Amino acid sequence: MKFFGNLAAAFVLVLLLGACGSSLQKPTGLEKPQSSQETDASEELTEQEPVEENEGISEESITDSRKEEQEKAGETKVRVENEQEKTVASAKKEVQQPTHAKEQAKKQPGQAENHTSGPLGEDGKQPSNATAGNLPKTAAPVQVPSKPPAPPVESPAEKEKEPEEQASTIVFSIVISSSEVPLTPVKMEFKEGDTVLDALIQITKKHKIQMDYRGGKGASAYVEGIANVYEFDRGQGSGWMYRVNGVFPDRGAGTVPLMVDDHVEWLYTTSLGEDLKADLKPFRR
């Protein structure tokens, strides 16, 4: 019995649910109109849409106005720069005006060139009150030739050294007899290491005096003839001998070295030196 009671209750519940569903689907004509709150909300939504459009238009207008202001500021800046450039150009033109005035003066015949500097007056002429900048150019400076350098002054020490730097000299002569003198005493220069024979060769060549010798320039050298006068030309004991500072050396002329201020004599003997009082002695060994 209990089971059947539960089943009947469930059946009644199903019927009730079916009735409720049908009542929801079918209009009864008794539905209430929309509430005032819903109507106000819809009106607010409709009013907000044009407001948003107005806000978008206002932002675009603000952007356009800013662009216009920036463009106006840029145009103003360009105008200021153009005015500054015009001012600089006019200033340069005023500075260059004297140069153009000079060129015009050169082109006009019969007029002197304008050598003055500075701006011209309104009438195109130079102002009468000349200042330091308006004075005519001065002539180019004349170059005075420089004086030649003074010769160096020799110091006393250099003057004292002069005798040492002078060439070494000796006195040389050639005598045949008292009446025949091919070469009177003369000074001649010689080099260090020269011998009596070297000096004879040099002096005879310089004064164009004939001379002949044999045996080379060393110890075996022997002078045969000077000024075309040879040994044995005037007797069996005749021939040539030499003397240095009054001494007759006991060796050949090719072995005796020269010294400063030597007095060298070549003499012709007719009696093996007795007529010359020749006494052979060792010399500069």
Side-chain angles (χ1 to χ4, degrees), residues 268-278:
Y268 190 78
T269 180
T270 57
S271 57
L272 299 176
E274 291 183 0
D275 55 339
L276 301 176
K277 298 179 181 180

Side-chain angles (χ1 to χ4, degrees), residues 98 101-102 105-106 111-118 120 124-126:
K102 289 181 181 181
K106 288 181 181 179
Q111 293 183 359
E113 294 183 356
N114 185 11
H115 292 285
T116 58
S117 60
L120 300 176
K125 297 181 180 180
Q126 192 71 21

Side-chain angles (χ1 to χ4, degrees), residues 147-153:
K147 294 182 180 180
V153 181

Side-chain angles (χ1 to χ4, degrees), residues 36-94:
S36 60
Q37 293 178 356
E38 292 177 355
T39 306
D40 296 337
S42 62
E43 289 177 358
E44 287 178 358
L45 290 173
T46 19
E47 289 177 358
Q48 285 177 0
E49 289 178 359
V51 170
E52 290 178 356
E53 291 178 358
N54 293 333
E55 289 178 359
I57 293 168
S58 63
E59 288 178 358
E60 291 177 357
S61 61
I62 290 169
T63 306
D64 293 338
S65 62
R66 287 180 181 176
K67 288 182 180 180
E68 290 178 359
E69 290 177 359
Q70 290 178 358
E71 289 177 356
K72 289 179 180 180
E75 291 177 357
T76 306
K77 186 176 180 181
V78 170
R79 289 176 183 175
V80 172
E81 290 179 354
N82 292 336
E83 290 178 357
Q84 290 179 354
E85 290 178 357
K86 289 179 180 180
T87 306
V88 173
S90 61
K92 289 182 179 179
K93 188 175 181 181
E94 290 179 359

Side-chain angles (χ1 to χ4, degrees), residues 141-164:
V142 179
Q143 295 182 354
V144 181
S146 59
K147 294 182 180 180
V153 181
E154 295 181 356
S155 61
E158 292 178 351
K159 290 182 179 179
E160 291 178 359
K161 290 181 181 179
E162 287 182 358
E164 296 179 1

